[in-house]
Amino acid sequence: MKIHKYDTVIVGAGGAGMRAAIESTKRSRTAVLTKLYPTRSHTGAAQGGMAAALANVEEDNWEWHTFDTIKGGDYLVDQDAAEILAKEAIDAVLDLEKMGLPFNRTPDGTIDQRRFGGHSRNHGEAPVRRSCYAADRTGHMILQTLYQNCVKEGVEFFNEFYVLDQLITEVDGVKKSAGVVAFELATGEIHVFQAKSVIYASGGTGKFFKVTSNAHTLTGDGQAACYRRGLPLEDMEFFQFHPTGIWRMGILLTEGARGEGGILRNKDGERFMEKYAPVMKDLASRDVVSRSIYTEIREGRGCGPEGDHVYLDLTHLPPEQLDAKLPDITEFARTYLGIEPYTDPIPIQPTAHYAMGGIPTNVAGEVLSDNDTVVPGLYAAGEVACVSVHGANRLGTNSLLDINVFGKRAGIAAAEYAHRSDFVELPENPAQLVVDQVERLRESTGNERVAEIRKELQETMDANVMVFRTEQTIKTAVEKIAELRERYKNVSVQDKGKRFNTDLLEAIELGNLLDLAEVMAVSALARKESRGGHYREDYPNRDDVNFMRHTMAYREVGKDGKDSIRLDYKPVVQTRYQPMERKY
Amino acid sequence: MATPTTLDKLEADSTTSHLITVTFRVRRFNPEVAAEASWQDFQLEIDPKERVLDGLHKIKWDQDGSLTFRRSCAHGICGSDAMRINGKNRLACKTLIKDLNPSKPITVEPIKGLTVLKDLVVDMDPFFQAYRDVMPFLITKGNEPTRERLQTAEDRERFDDTTKCILCAACTSSCPVFWNDGQYFGPAAIVNAHRFIFDSRDEAGEQRLEILNDKDGVWRCRTTFNCTDACPRGIEVTKAIQEVKRALITRRY
Ligand SMILES: Cc1cc2nc3c(=O)[nH]c(=O)nc-3n(C[C@H](O)[C@H](O)[C@H](O)COP(=O)(O)OP(=O)(O)OC[C@H]3O[C@@H](n4cnc5c(N)ncnc54)[C@H](O)[C@@H]3O)c2cc1C
Ligand code: FES
């Protein structure tokens, strides 16, 4: 076991982690621990754009953006946070441009902007061009640009280090962050990083679904590490299903495709979104579009012999426009489906995409241990966190924004905290939990296989807690997850070695997915209403009287050593917008 | 709206399963087990429309958990899984079984020219070092403008191709010059230098050109086009290198 000491440790090198690192490296001795090489992070998969009311191509302002974000989130958004997001968006985009990001340009040479779902002029009047983009590889360009600037700033990376535990020490009755424990992939060695500040920027958790746009590595490690140490997880029932994933594969086709004029059609060729969202049509918010697609499918208007998908039709757009604005996604259709998007509509279905919930933080990125207590020295930003700027449903282009705005804020806040604070003493045997976990898995002779349990988990999640949920389906999922968690205790790995043992790490990642899936299902069961991404067929309406509040899920360990989930609730911060019915 | 035949076929095919049996011949190496690398054959059932990465996962998940490779996004954008498949550098997640003549064994080996650490995993540090050496970040002089820097659409287009790089190393590790001399910067580093040299906003083109004028720089390129063939992003790598060479001669870019 090795012990390292840094002022600030950042867990994750995606957009949020690297944006934080650029700030904190200037201000404090910083280490970035990342399980992937930075440029492998899933921020690089983002396609469509990053929202900011630059008003480069038409009238726009950050107040409209704030409103759209709150409405898009079905009023579960903390309005003070949404205001910061929309206001600081403009500088966030300009910062990236100055760092070198090659945005597409207008004829005037300014940053070009395009339409995106849920973004409107003047509180819902019509779609507005607010998304700043670089073809359909905006995330790639953000990730590359941030990495380039990390190279410039000399950010210190520990690549292929998996953070598996969060260390917390109680000082005078206050829980404080003391550091993290990491597993080095190359050697199997365990490292303890003592740090004054720790920032989680470890991304999402989509891999508990089968059809998902998320990478294999998005297994919610950060959320799980904090949760296991008694910290709450907020709004985990809210998961976004993006309308246009490649049929059966889940690979994302950006909403930018509809922003450029693409149309969703059912088997009769009908532009069905006109029925569900007369104003915004194909550019209604994602939860609305995904439900509409499944409604078409359920009512027998799906395409193909099994009627299990619909079409994204780009055939009326000029090939030059597709080549210039959507080169990557048209290539995905060619590569993975053998389809030519110039002439063929593309078969699509909703795909599990984005975790609105996560580690609760305030607007400075500080992690909360309950509704209002901050854990000194602990920060989170990006998809791992819940500020909450996305509420019950995130608007497209608001996450690339979130990672930049709150990544930067967390980086500054963490470094400044490190400056004015001392190291917190490490707990006794700091690496114990990880050592035990690794040893148990390596030595286990149990007969359960990681791949089988993961497959069953993904199948139950897809079948029971996707776009449509009921008490019955969620209960089925809760029971199945409980069974899988039991079976997980008998899981064994074949690779017993130390070097690059990805077999072992997949087992650990599965453990995280199981814990988080349970939190998601239990939180969903208790929310007896429909709001944003959480749709209960047995409670189809939003219920502001009982459920205008954030879910806070805590892990509790009983005297018998068994763990269970305790749910609590946190008020939503409302400033100037009164909840209204959402219409698109 | 016409529904053309490729789509019909795709949809009709999906109702029946078309599993075929293929052999994956994988180059294995684990110094914890044996000092030498060796080939190992695996037989698996797979739909030919699936990816080589799916095949590797089937092996890892159902047959031999110790088979080791890197991967993340599974659709060709993170650059984790460049490997030599049937003797050519490709991304495993972007190569479909049906495009490989699956009646013969499919060979899968680590990319060449970088030290193999275990099975298909190589040491990427020298690759990223060469990248860092070309100063891969925007360098400007003078005061920052308050708004964005302006750039015409044409100026933006000038370096569009080289912004697509995902640093997978497929190009660099397909280059015979790099195989023989690991000191050579290699195509990927030059591509990333190109991305800045030809960016109208950047003001350090001269410095970067001097770096590439080095004995291990662009002049080592023998224009074999391996790199262009290998690039999973379709970047015209050789062309980019030629443009850098030309800029070195004319000092115009
Ligand atoms: C296909 C796709 C398209 C998208 N398009 C858009 C879009 O157009 N606009 C938009 O706004 N949003 C989009 N999103 C959402 C957005 O891209 C993501 O939410 C965002 O990039 C997440 O960034 P992040 O920095 O939080 O996490 P990530 O980029 O996922 O990075 C996570 C980092 O954490 C590290 N990590 C994870 N676990 C550990 C661990 N245990 N130890 C150490 N390190 C760890 C990883 O190595 C990685 O570096 C899209 C998402 C997807 C999947
Ligand atoms: S797994 Fe990301 S490029 Fe292949």
Side-chain angles (χ1 to χ4, degrees), chain A residues 11-17 33-38 41-51 116 138 143 161-164 201-204 213-215 217-219 221-222 252 254 286 353-354 381-384 394-401 403, chain B residues 75:
Chain A
V11 182
L33 317 188
T34 171
K35 76 177 183 182
L36 302 171
Y37 273 85
S41 305
H42 212 54
T43 291
Q47 304 166 354
M50 169 167 168
F116 237 81
T138 314
L143 193 68
F161 274 58
Y162 286 61
V163 170
L164 300 179
S202 48
S213 64
N214 281 199
T217 45
L218 288 176
T219 50
D221 304 354
L252 194 81
T254 175
R286 290 177 177 173
H353 186 57
Y354 183 85
E383 194 167 335
V384 71
R394 171 175 73 82
L395 287 190
T397 66
N398 265 356
S399 173
L400 290 179
L401 176 56
I403 62 180
Chain B
H75 65 285

Side-chain angles (χ1 to χ4, degrees), chain A residues 100 105 217 309 331 336 344 494, chain B residues 6 11 65 72 93-94 149:
Chain A
R105 300 288 170 157
T217 45
H309 57 278
E331 187 182 300
Y336 296 109
D344 297 341
Q494 287 175 311
Chain B
T6 43
E11 290 177 329
S72 184
C93 65
K94 240 189 145 175
R149 291 195 171 75

Side-chain angles (χ1 to χ4, degrees), chain A residues 40 215-216 336, chain B residues 53 70-82 91-94 166 168 232:
Chain A
R40 313 295 181 222
H216 286 288
Y336 296 109
Chain B
L53 180 63
R70 293 189 175 109
R71 52 61 176 143
S72 184
C73 73
H75 65 285
I77 50 90
C78 76
S80 296
D81 60 343
L91 296 176
C93 65
K94 240 189 145 175
I166 54 174
C168 67

Side-chain angles (χ1 to χ4, degrees), chain B residues 193-205:
Chain B
H194 177 285
R195 179 250 169 274
F196 288 100
I197 293 169
F198 291 93
D199 185 333
S200 58
R201 300 169 296 174
D202 187 77
E203 295 174 77

Side-chain angles (χ1 to χ4, degrees), chain A residues 348-403:
Chain A
I348 57 100
Q349 75 182 82
T351 182
H353 186 57
Y354 183 85
M356 269 76 74
I359 302 172
T361 72
N362 61 20
V363 294
E366 295 172 299
V367 170
L368 303 175
S369 62
D370 57 33
N371 285 4
D372 20 50
T373 314
V374 160
V375 184
L378 194 57
Y379 299 79
E383 194 167 335
V384 71
C386 180
V387 184
S388 149
V389 287
H390 308 304
N393 171 62
R394 171 175 73 82
L395 287 190
T397 66
N398 265 356
S399 173
L400 290 179
L401 176 56
D402 171 9
I403 62 180

